[in-house]
Amino acid sequence: MSTATGTGQQDMRDMFRSMLLIRRFEEKASEEYMAGRIGGFLHLAIGEEAAVVGTVSAMRADDPLTSTYREHGQALARGADPRAVMAELLGRSTGLCGGRGGSMHLMDKARSFYGGYGIVGGSVPLGLGLAYAARYRKSDQVSVTMFGDGATNQGVVAECFNMAGLWDLPIVFLILNNQYGMGTSLEHAAAEEDLYTRCNAYGIPSWKVDGMDVMAVRGAVAEALRIAREERNPACVELLAYRYRGHSMSDPDTVRDADEKERWRLRDPLVTFERVLLGEAVMTADDIAAMKAEVEAVVEDAAAFAEESPEVPVAELADDVYANPFNDDARGGALMP
Amino acid sequence: MSTDPAKPVAYRDALNQALREELTRDPDVFLLGEDIAGFDGAFKVTRGLLAEFGPERVVDTPITEAGFTGMAIGAAMAGLRPVVEIMTVNFVILAMDQIVNNAAKIHYMFGGQASVPIVIRMPGGAGHQLSSQHSQTLDAWFAHVPGLKVVCPSTPEDAKGLLKTAIRDDDPVIFIENEGLYGKKGPVGGPDDLIPFGQAAVRRAGTHCTVIAHSRMVWVALQAAEELASQGIEVEVIDPRTFRPLDLDTLASSVRRTGHAVVVDEGWPEYGISAGLATLLYEACFDWLDAPIGRVTCADVPMPYAKNLEQAALPQPADVVAAVLANIGQGVA
């Protein structure tokens, strides 16, 4: 690991802080869920911080990003307010999406984060459309769409590979391969476990990198973005990673082998990156301790803010179903929000 | 192509005018779909548009309905105004995840941050002996879903005016044409004549019974109305034109006046458009009704191939006549 790809020391510190924030935020979200303050599904990205932060750190701020339902990290890495993210998880009116989306459906459009989506593979065509819009408008933005190993088996993802290759759309497909689709391992689901090779059939340059190494991810995504931005070709990177928790909070994680989990624990992306920062004298132990304390305070503040935030008024139940709402009192407005 | 309002224009050409005018007016509008560019579209609705607007704005897609519909939704999130042609309603089933889980949800689920100004147009309907997989009316599937707007034009004028409104609307609009209407001729409006959503059209005034019909069924109902008029029975034929929003006021006030209602729908009877409209009318007009609301629908079967069976399955003018007569107590039930 090195400071290749023009990554300066400040970039490395920013990346580490972003990883710390995601880790600590996810741990706090887990506590909030166990306390009964978060409902629905809660999918934690603990273990996947390098994949998320390495990707986002390589992107330009105006490059649109789409993601799956495991996307708190993407929102935070893109700069979303941790208070608004936590408030959304708690379903409060101050939430990022006004309490309508919850954990699985965060969006921060002002930061070009175009959302987390709950249907496996279903967000990939949206990412393709954002790439289409960039090309249509002759912008040099590149759309980045992140999806899991499970999504690569959805037909619509293959459809998107084809259209991206056919039309040379400026998109980077990022397969975050955490090796399990819920409880089903990759080897039980995929005929070819090197998922990036799917793109060979469509003439899309693709390769695999270590998704636990934030610098490797950043370098690979930077290269993929360069291909998309400068050569106006799609690219695909497979990030081999591991999540340290079950699929969601309701998964006791009894399927995965204990030895396997321990092996990947030893490759904790925060621990290994901390070692690099110390080894390359980017940060001192004191710097790191101070950063952890600062992040801890941000997360505690976010949780306190969310807990104290008001519920969403029930009177707002039917707001925002339409961008151009229509009025009809024929049925007390029930037909027409 | 003439836009002289005095000259009758075919339904397909009225749609073509709307597309041409909106492509000309707004550079963010583009078209995509299977065989719409070089081939002019399966029903020739997009004829000539490739030559006029070029391949960036009139885009032939691979046969990949879920993929290109979802792609158009993503482009709409970025502020473009894609008009998707699905060759027929039968193929939109492949894209339902994108339409229901993405297009219909995005504005609400993300707290109003992003809108999806997309039009997805397609013909439904039956009558050409295409059998079960090519002869469906699925209007109710879309009308069921909050977040979608649903438009079903029955005339060339509506086809043009409603499509222009749809393209300028900021929400996902499902625009359902009918294979049996593309050749239908009639007057059309000019470039600035938009027809607003949520306004039903009274196609024929009458006092004895209200007949509610949309899309091709309007013409079936009007034929029945002619036949009934010869028997001294004047029915009021109302075309809702859009189901989301729905102009329930116009429907209900007619039913309150006539005391009788028959709903005609090319779709299946169970849990569909006719069932939904009947429920709304019972809620709005129960005390005014002199008889239970009648329904004339497609038979509750997959569409058969054989000509005689197909015609037996579809609502015919005679079925409407019988339903009206039964409803007003002048016929054999």
Coordinates of all heavy atoms in Angstrom, one line a residue, chain B residues 201-273:
Chain B
A201 N -64.7 13.5 -20.3 CA -65.4 14.1 -21.4 C -66.7 13.4 -21.6 O -66.8 12.2 -21.6 CB -64.5 13.9 -22.7
V202 N -67.8 14.3 -21.7 CA -69.1 13.7 -22.0 C -69.1 13.5 -23.5 O -69.2 14.5 -24.3 CB -70.2 14.7 -21.6 CG1 -71.6 14.1 -21.9 CG2 -70.1 14.9 -20.1
R203 N -69.2 12.2 -24.0 CA -69.1 11.9 -25.4 C -70.5 12.0 -26.1 O -70.6 12.2 -27.3 CB -68.5 10.6 -25.6 CG -67.1 10.4 -25.1 CD -66.1 11.3 -25.9 NE -64.7 11.1 -25.4 CZ -63.7 11.9 -25.6 NH1 -64.0 13.0 -26.4 NH2 -62.5 11.7 -25.2
R204 N -71.5 11.8 -25.2 CA -72.9 11.9 -25.7 C -73.8 12.2 -24.5 O -73.6 11.6 -23.5 CB -73.3 10.6 -26.4 CG -74.7 10.5 -26.9 CD -75.1 9.1 -27.4 NE -76.5 9.1 -27.8 CZ -76.9 8.9 -29.1 NH1 -76.0 8.7 -30.0 NH2 -78.2 9.0 -29.4
A205 N -74.6 13.2 -24.7 CA -75.5 13.5 -23.6 C -76.7 12.7 -23.6 O -77.2 12.2 -24.6 CB -75.9 15.0 -23.6
G206 N -77.2 12.4 -22.4 CA -78.5 11.5 -22.3 C -79.0 11.6 -20.9 O -78.4 12.1 -20.0
T207 N -80.2 11.0 -20.7 CA -80.9 11.2 -19.5 C -81.3 9.9 -18.8 O -81.6 9.8 -17.6 CB -82.2 11.9 -19.7 OG1 -82.9 11.3 -20.7 CG2 -81.9 13.4 -20.1
H208 N -81.2 8.7 -19.5 CA -81.8 7.5 -19.0 C -80.8 6.6 -18.2 O -81.1 5.9 -17.3 CB -82.4 6.7 -20.1 CG -83.6 7.3 -20.7 ND1 -83.7 7.7 -22.1 CD2 -84.8 7.8 -20.2 CE1 -84.8 8.3 -22.3 NE2 -85.5 8.4 -21.2
C209 N -79.5 6.7 -18.7 CA -78.5 5.8 -18.1 C -77.1 6.4 -18.4 O -76.9 6.9 -19.5 CB -78.6 4.4 -18.6 SG -77.4 3.2 -17.9
T210 N -76.2 6.4 -17.4 CA -74.9 6.8 -17.6 C -74.0 5.6 -18.0 O -74.0 4.6 -17.3 CB -74.3 7.5 -16.4 OG1 -75.1 8.5 -16.0 CG2 -72.9 7.9 -16.6
V211 N -73.3 5.7 -19.2 CA -72.4 4.6 -19.6 C -71.0 5.2 -19.5 O -70.7 6.2 -20.1 CB -72.7 4.1 -21.0 CG1 -71.7 3.1 -21.4 CG2 -74.1 3.5 -21.0
I212 N -70.2 4.6 -18.7 CA -68.8 5.0 -18.5 C -67.9 4.1 -19.3 O -67.9 2.9 -19.1 CB -68.4 5.1 -17.0 CG1 -69.3 6.1 -16.3 CG2 -66.9 5.5 -16.9 CD1 -69.3 6.0 -14.8
A213 N -67.1 4.7 -20.2 CA -66.2 3.9 -21.0 C -65.0 4.7 -21.4 O -65.0 5.9 -21.4 CB -66.9 3.4 -22.3
H214 N -63.8 4.0 -21.6 CA -62.6 4.7 -21.9 C -61.9 3.9 -23.1 O -62.3 2.8 -23.4 CB -61.7 4.8 -20.7 CG -61.1 3.5 -20.3 ND1 -61.8 2.6 -19.5 CD2 -59.8 3.0 -20.5 CE1 -61.0 1.5 -19.3 NE2 -59.8 1.7 -19.8
S215 N -61.0 4.6 -23.7 CA -60.2 4.1 -24.8 C -61.1 3.5 -25.9 O -62.2 4.2 -26.2 CB -59.2 3.0 -24.3 OG -58.3 2.7 -25.2
R216 N -60.8 2.4 -26.5 CA -61.7 1.9 -27.6 C -63.1 1.7 -27.2 O -64.0 1.7 -28.0 CB -61.0 0.6 -28.1 CG -61.7 0.1 -29.4 CD -61.0 -1.0 -30.0 NE -61.1 -2.3 -29.3 CZ -62.2 -3.1 -29.3 NH1 -63.2 -2.8 -30.1 NH2 -62.2 -4.2 -28.6
M217 N -63.3 1.4 -25.9 CA -64.7 1.1 -25.4 C -65.6 2.3 -25.5 O -66.8 2.1 -25.6 CB -64.6 0.6 -24.0 CG -64.0 -0.8 -23.8 SD -64.9 -2.1 -24.7 CE -63.8 -2.4 -26.1
V218 N -65.0 3.5 -25.7 CA -65.9 4.7 -25.9 C -66.7 4.5 -27.2 O -67.9 4.8 -27.3 CB -65.0 6.0 -26.0 CG1 -65.9 7.1 -26.5 CG2 -64.4 6.3 -24.6
W219 N -66.0 4.0 -28.2 CA -66.6 3.8 -29.5 C -67.6 2.7 -29.5 O -68.7 2.7 -30.2 CB -65.5 3.6 -30.6 CG -64.6 4.8 -30.6 CD1 -63.4 4.9 -30.0 CD2 -64.9 6.1 -31.1 NE1 -62.9 6.1 -30.1 CE2 -63.7 6.9 -30.8 CE3 -65.9 6.6 -31.8 CZ2 -63.7 8.2 -31.2 CZ3 -65.9 8.0 -32.2 CH2 -64.7 8.8 -31.9
V220 N -67.3 1.7 -28.7 CA -68.3 0.6 -28.5 C -69.6 1.1 -27.8 O -70.7 0.8 -28.2 CB -67.7 -0.6 -27.7 CG1 -68.7 -1.6 -27.3 CG2 -66.6 -1.2 -28.5
A221 N -69.3 1.9 -26.8 CA -70.5 2.5 -26.1 C -71.3 3.4 -27.0 O -72.5 3.5 -26.9 CB -69.9 3.2 -24.9
L222 N -70.6 4.2 -27.8 CA -71.3 5.1 -28.7 C -72.2 4.4 -29.7 O -73.3 4.8 -30.1 CB -70.3 6.1 -29.4 CG -69.8 7.2 -28.4 CD1 -68.6 8.0 -29.1 CD2 -70.8 8.1 -27.9
Q223 N -71.6 3.3 -30.2 CA -72.4 2.5 -31.1 C -73.7 1.9 -30.4 O -74.8 1.9 -31.0 CB -71.6 1.3 -31.6 CG -71.1 1.4 -33.0 CD -70.4 0.1 -33.4 OE1 -69.2 -0.1 -33.1 NE2 -71.1 -0.8 -34.1
A224 N -73.5 1.5 -29.2 CA -74.6 1.0 -28.4 C -75.6 2.1 -28.2 O -76.8 1.9 -28.2 CB -74.1 0.4 -27.1
A225 N -75.1 3.3 -27.9 CA -76.0 4.5 -27.7 C -76.9 4.8 -28.9 O -78.1 5.1 -28.7 CB -75.2 5.7 -27.3
E226 N -76.3 4.6 -30.1 CA -77.1 4.8 -31.3 C -78.2 3.8 -31.4 O -79.4 4.2 -31.7 CB -76.2 4.6 -32.5 CG -75.2 5.8 -32.9 CD -76.0 7.0 -33.3 OE1 -76.9 6.9 -34.1 OE2 -75.7 8.1 -32.9
E227 N -77.9 2.6 -31.1 CA -78.9 1.5 -31.2 C -80.0 1.8 -30.1 O -81.2 1.6 -30.4 CB -78.2 0.2 -30.9 CG -79.0 -1.0 -30.6 CD -79.9 -1.4 -31.8 OE1 -79.5 -1.1 -32.9 OE2 -81.0 -1.9 -31.6
L228 N -79.6 2.2 -28.9 CA -80.5 2.5 -27.9 C -81.4 3.7 -28.2 O -82.6 3.7 -27.9 CB -79.8 2.7 -26.5 CG -79.2 1.4 -25.9 CD1 -78.2 1.7 -24.9 CD2 -80.4 0.6 -25.3
A229 N -80.8 4.7 -28.9 CA -81.6 5.9 -29.2 C -82.7 5.5 -30.2 O -83.8 6.1 -30.1 CB -80.6 6.9 -29.9
S230 N -82.4 4.5 -31.0 CA -83.5 4.1 -32.0 C -84.6 3.4 -31.2 O -85.7 3.3 -31.8 CB -82.9 3.1 -33.0 OG -82.6 1.9 -32.4
Q231 N -84.3 3.0 -30.0 CA -85.4 2.4 -29.2 C -86.0 3.5 -28.2 O -86.7 3.1 -27.3 CB -84.9 1.2 -28.4 CG -84.3 0.1 -29.3 CD -83.8 -1.0 -28.4 OE1 -84.3 -1.4 -27.4 NE2 -82.7 -1.7 -28.9
G232 N -85.5 4.7 -28.4 CA -86.1 5.8 -27.5 C -85.3 5.9 -26.2 O -85.8 6.6 -25.3
I233 N -84.2 5.3 -26.1 CA -83.4 5.4 -24.8 C -82.2 6.2 -25.0 O -81.4 5.9 -25.9 CB -83.0 4.0 -24.3 CG1 -84.3 3.2 -24.0 CG2 -82.1 4.0 -23.1 CD1 -84.1 1.7 -23.9
E234 N -82.0 7.3 -24.2 CA -80.9 8.2 -24.4 C -79.9 7.9 -23.3 O -80.2 8.2 -22.1 CB -81.4 9.6 -24.4 CG -82.2 10.0 -25.6 CD -81.4 9.9 -26.9 OE1 -80.1 10.0 -26.9 OE2 -82.0 9.7 -28.0
V235 N -78.8 7.4 -23.6 CA -77.7 7.2 -22.6 C -76.7 8.3 -22.7 O -76.5 8.9 -23.7 CB -77.0 5.8 -22.7 CG1 -78.0 4.7 -22.6 CG2 -76.2 5.7 -24.0
E236 N -76.1 8.6 -21.5 CA -75.0 9.6 -21.5 C -73.7 8.8 -21.4 O -73.5 8.0 -20.5 CB -75.2 10.4 -20.2 CG -74.1 11.5 -20.1 CD -74.7 12.8 -19.4 OE1 -75.5 13.4 -20.0 OE2 -74.4 13.0 -18.2
V237 N -72.8 9.0 -22.4 CA -71.6 8.3 -22.5 C -70.5 9.2 -22.0 O -70.2 10.3 -22.5 CB -71.3 7.8 -23.9 CG1 -69.9 7.1 -24.0 CG2 -72.4 6.9 -24.4
I238 N -69.8 8.8 -20.9 CA -68.8 9.6 -20.3 C -67.4 8.8 -20.4 O -67.3 7.7 -20.1 CB -69.1 10.0 -18.9 CG1 -70.4 10.7 -18.8 CG2 -68.0 10.8 -18.3 CD1 -70.8 11.2 -17.5
D239 N -66.4 9.5 -20.8 CA -65.1 9.0 -21.0 C -64.2 9.6 -19.9 O -63.9 10.8 -19.9 CB -64.6 9.4 -22.4 CG -63.1 9.0 -22.6 OD1 -62.5 8.4 -21.8 OD2 -62.6 9.3 -23.8
P240 N -63.7 8.8 -18.9 CA -62.9 9.4 -17.8 C -61.6 10.0 -18.3 O -61.0 10.9 -17.7 CB -62.7 8.3 -16.9 CG -63.7 7.2 -17.2 CD -64.0 7.4 -18.7
R241 N -61.1 9.5 -19.4 CA -59.8 9.9 -20.0 C -58.6 9.7 -19.2 O -57.6 9.3 -19.7 CB -59.9 11.4 -20.5 CG -61.0 11.7 -21.4 CD -60.7 12.9 -22.2 NE -61.0 14.1 -21.5 CZ -61.0 15.3 -22.1 NH1 -60.8 15.4 -23.4 NH2 -61.3 16.4 -21.4
T242 N -58.6 10.0 -17.9 CA -57.5 9.7 -17.0 C -58.0 9.1 -15.8 O -59.1 9.4 -15.3 CB -56.7 11.0 -16.7 OG1 -57.5 11.9 -15.9 CG2 -56.2 11.7 -17.9
F243 N -57.3 8.1 -15.3 CA -57.7 7.4 -14.0 C -57.0 7.9 -12.8 O -57.4 7.7 -11.7 CB -57.6 5.9 -14.2 CG -58.6 5.3 -15.2 CD1 -58.2 4.9 -16.4 CD2 -59.9 5.3 -14.8 CE1 -59.2 4.4 -17.3 CE2 -60.9 4.8 -15.7 CZ -60.5 4.4 -16.9
R244 N -55.8 8.4 -13.0 CA -55.1 9.1 -12.0 C -54.6 10.4 -12.6 O -53.6 10.3 -13.4 CB -53.9 8.3 -11.4 CG -54.3 7.2 -10.4 CD -53.1 6.5 -9.9 NE -53.5 5.5 -8.9 CZ -53.6 5.8 -7.6 NH1 -53.3 7.0 -7.1 NH2 -53.9 4.8 -6.7
P245 N -55.1 11.5 -12.3 CA -56.3 11.7 -11.5 C -57.6 11.3 -12.2 O -57.7 11.3 -13.4 CB -56.3 13.2 -11.2 CG -55.6 13.8 -12.4 CD -54.6 12.8 -12.9
L246 N -58.6 11.1 -11.4 CA -59.9 10.7 -11.9 C -60.9 11.8 -11.6 O -61.0 12.3 -10.5 CB -60.4 9.4 -11.1 CG -61.8 9.0 -11.5 CD1 -61.9 8.5 -13.0 CD2 -62.3 7.9 -10.6
D247 N -61.7 12.2 -12.6 CA -62.7 13.2 -12.5 C -64.0 12.5 -12.0 O -64.9 12.3 -12.7 CB -62.9 13.9 -13.8 CG -64.0 15.0 -13.8 OD1 -64.5 15.3 -12.7 OD2 -64.3 15.5 -14.8
L248 N -64.0 12.2 -10.7 CA -65.2 11.5 -10.2 C -66.4 12.4 -10.1 O -67.5 11.9 -10.3 CB -64.9 11.0 -8.8 CG -65.9 10.1 -8.1 CD1 -66.3 8.9 -9.0 CD2 -65.5 9.6 -6.7
D249 N -66.2 13.7 -10.0 CA -67.3 14.6 -9.9 C -68.2 14.5 -11.2 O -69.4 14.5 -11.1 CB -66.8 16.1 -9.9 CG -66.4 16.4 -8.4 OD1 -66.7 15.7 -7.5 OD2 -65.7 17.5 -8.3
T250 N -67.6 14.5 -12.4 CA -68.4 14.5 -13.6 C -69.1 13.2 -13.7 O -70.3 13.1 -14.1 CB -67.4 14.7 -14.8 OG1 -66.9 16.0 -14.7 CG2 -68.2 14.6 -16.1
L251 N -68.4 12.1 -13.3 CA -69.1 10.8 -13.4 C -70.3 10.7 -12.4 O -71.4 10.3 -12.8 CB -68.1 9.7 -13.0 CG -67.2 9.1 -14.1 CD1 -66.4 10.2 -14.9 CD2 -66.2 8.1 -13.5
A252 N -70.0 11.1 -11.2 CA -71.0 11.0 -10.1 C -72.2 11.9 -10.4 O -73.4 11.5 -10.2 CB -70.4 11.3 -8.8
S253 N -71.9 13.1 -10.9 CA -73.1 14.0 -11.1 C -74.0 13.5 -12.2 O -75.2 13.6 -12.2 CB -72.6 15.5 -11.3 OG -71.9 15.5 -12.5
S254 N -73.4 12.8 -13.2 CA -74.2 12.2 -14.3 C -75.0 11.1 -13.7 O -76.2 11.0 -14.0 CB -73.3 11.7 -15.4 OG -74.1 11.0 -16.3
V255 N -74.4 10.3 -12.9 CA -75.1 9.1 -12.3 C -76.2 9.6 -11.4 O -77.3 9.0 -11.4 CB -74.1 8.1 -11.6 CG1 -74.9 7.0 -10.9 CG2 -73.1 7.6 -12.6
R256 N -76.0 10.6 -10.7 CA -77.1 11.1 -9.8 C -78.2 11.6 -10.6 O -79.4 11.5 -10.2 CB -76.5 12.3 -8.9 CG -75.6 11.8 -7.8 CD -74.9 12.9 -7.1 NE -73.9 12.4 -6.2 CZ -72.9 13.1 -5.7 NH1 -72.7 14.4 -6.1 NH2 -72.0 12.6 -4.9
R257 N -77.9 12.1 -11.8 CA -79.0 12.6 -12.7 C -79.8 11.5 -13.3 O -81.0 11.5 -13.4 CB -78.4 13.5 -13.7 CG -79.3 14.5 -14.4 CD -78.6 15.8 -14.9 NE -77.2 15.6 -15.2 CZ -76.7 15.0 -16.3 NH1 -77.5 14.4 -17.2 NH2 -75.4 14.9 -16.5
T258 N -79.1 10.5 -13.8 CA -79.8 9.4 -14.5 C -80.3 8.3 -13.6 O -81.2 7.6 -14.0 CB -78.8 8.8 -15.6 OG1 -77.7 8.2 -14.9 CG2 -78.3 9.8 -16.6
G259 N -79.6 8.1 -12.5 CA -80.0 7.1 -11.5 C -79.6 5.7 -12.0 O -79.9 4.7 -11.3
H260 N -78.9 5.6 -13.1 CA -78.4 4.3 -13.7 C -77.0 4.4 -14.2 O -76.6 5.5 -14.7 CB -79.3 3.9 -14.8 CG -80.7 3.6 -14.4 ND1 -81.1 2.3 -13.9 CD2 -81.8 4.3 -14.4 CE1 -82.4 2.4 -13.6 NE2 -82.9 3.6 -13.9
A261 N -76.2 3.4 -14.0 CA -74.8 3.4 -14.5 C -74.4 2.0 -15.0 O -74.7 1.0 -14.3 CB -73.9 3.9 -13.3
V262 N -73.7 2.1 -16.1 CA -73.1 0.9 -16.7 C -71.7 1.2 -17.0 O -71.4 2.2 -17.6 CB -73.8 0.4 -17.9 CG1 -73.0 -0.7 -18.6 CG2 -75.2 -0.1 -17.6
V263 N -70.7 0.4 -16.5 CA -69.3 0.7 -16.8 C -68.8 -0.4 -17.8 O -69.1 -1.6 -17.6 CB -68.5 0.5 -15.5 CG1 -67.0 0.9 -15.8 CG2 -69.0 1.4 -14.4
V264 N -68.2 0.1 -18.8 CA -67.7 -0.7 -19.9 C -66.2 -0.7 -19.9 O -65.6 0.4 -19.9 CB -68.2 -0.2 -21.3 CG1 -67.8 -1.3 -22.4 CG2 -69.7 0.0 -21.3
D265 N -65.6 -1.9 -19.8 CA -64.1 -1.9 -19.7 C -63.6 -3.1 -20.6 O -64.1 -4.2 -20.4 CB -63.7 -2.1 -18.2 CG -62.2 -2.2 -18.0 OD1 -61.4 -1.8 -18.9 OD2 -61.8 -2.7 -17.0
E266 N -62.6 -2.9 -21.4 CA -62.0 -4.0 -22.2 C -61.2 -4.9 -21.3 O -60.7 -6.0 -21.7 CB -61.1 -3.4 -23.3 CG -60.7 -4.4 -24.4 CD -60.1 -3.8 -25.6 OE1 -60.2 -2.6 -25.8 OE2 -59.4 -4.6 -26.3
G267 N -60.9 -4.5 -20.0 CA -60.1 -5.3 -19.1 C -61.0 -6.4 -18.5 O -62.2 -6.5 -18.6
W268 N -60.3 -7.2 -17.7 CA -61.0 -8.3 -17.0 C -61.9 -7.7 -15.9 O -61.7 -6.6 -15.4 CB -60.0 -9.3 -16.4 CG -59.2 -10.0 -17.4 CD1 -59.7 -10.8 -18.4 CD2 -57.8 -10.1 -17.6 NE1 -58.7 -11.4 -19.1 CE2 -57.5 -11.0 -18.7 CE3 -56.7 -9.5 -16.9 CZ2 -56.2 -11.3 -19.1 CZ3 -55.4 -9.8 -17.3 CH2 -55.2 -10.7 -18.4
P269 N -62.9 -8.5 -15.5 CA -63.9 -8.0 -14.5 C -63.4 -7.9 -13.1 O -63.9 -7.1 -12.3 CB -65.1 -9.0 -14.7 CG -64.5 -10.3 -15.2 CD -63.3 -9.8 -16.1
E270 N -62.6 -8.9 -12.7 CA -62.3 -9.0 -11.3 C -61.2 -8.0 -10.8 O -60.1 -7.9 -11.3 CB -61.8 -10.4 -10.9 CG -62.8 -11.5 -11.3 CD -64.2 -11.3 -10.7 OE1 -64.3 -10.9 -9.5 OE2 -65.2 -11.6 -11.4
Y271 N -61.6 -7.1 -9.8 CA -60.7 -6.2 -9.2 C -60.1 -5.2 -10.2 O -59.0 -4.6 -9.9 CB -59.6 -7.0 -8.4 CG -60.1 -8.2 -7.7 CD1 -59.9 -9.4 -8.2 CD2 -60.9 -8.0 -6.6 CE1 -60.4 -10.6 -7.6 CE2 -61.4 -9.1 -5.9 CZ -61.1 -10.4 -6.4 OH -61.7 -11.5 -5.8
G272 N -60.8 -4.9 -11.2 CA -60.2 -4.1 -12.3 C -60.8 -2.7 -12.3 O -61.4 -2.2 -11.3
I273 N -60.7 -2.0 -13.5 CA -61.2 -0.6 -13.7 C -62.7 -0.6 -13.4 O -63.2 0.3 -12.7 CB -60.9 -0.2 -15.1 CG1 -59.4 0.1 -15.3 CG2 -61.7 1.1 -15.4 CD1 -58.8 1.3 -14.6

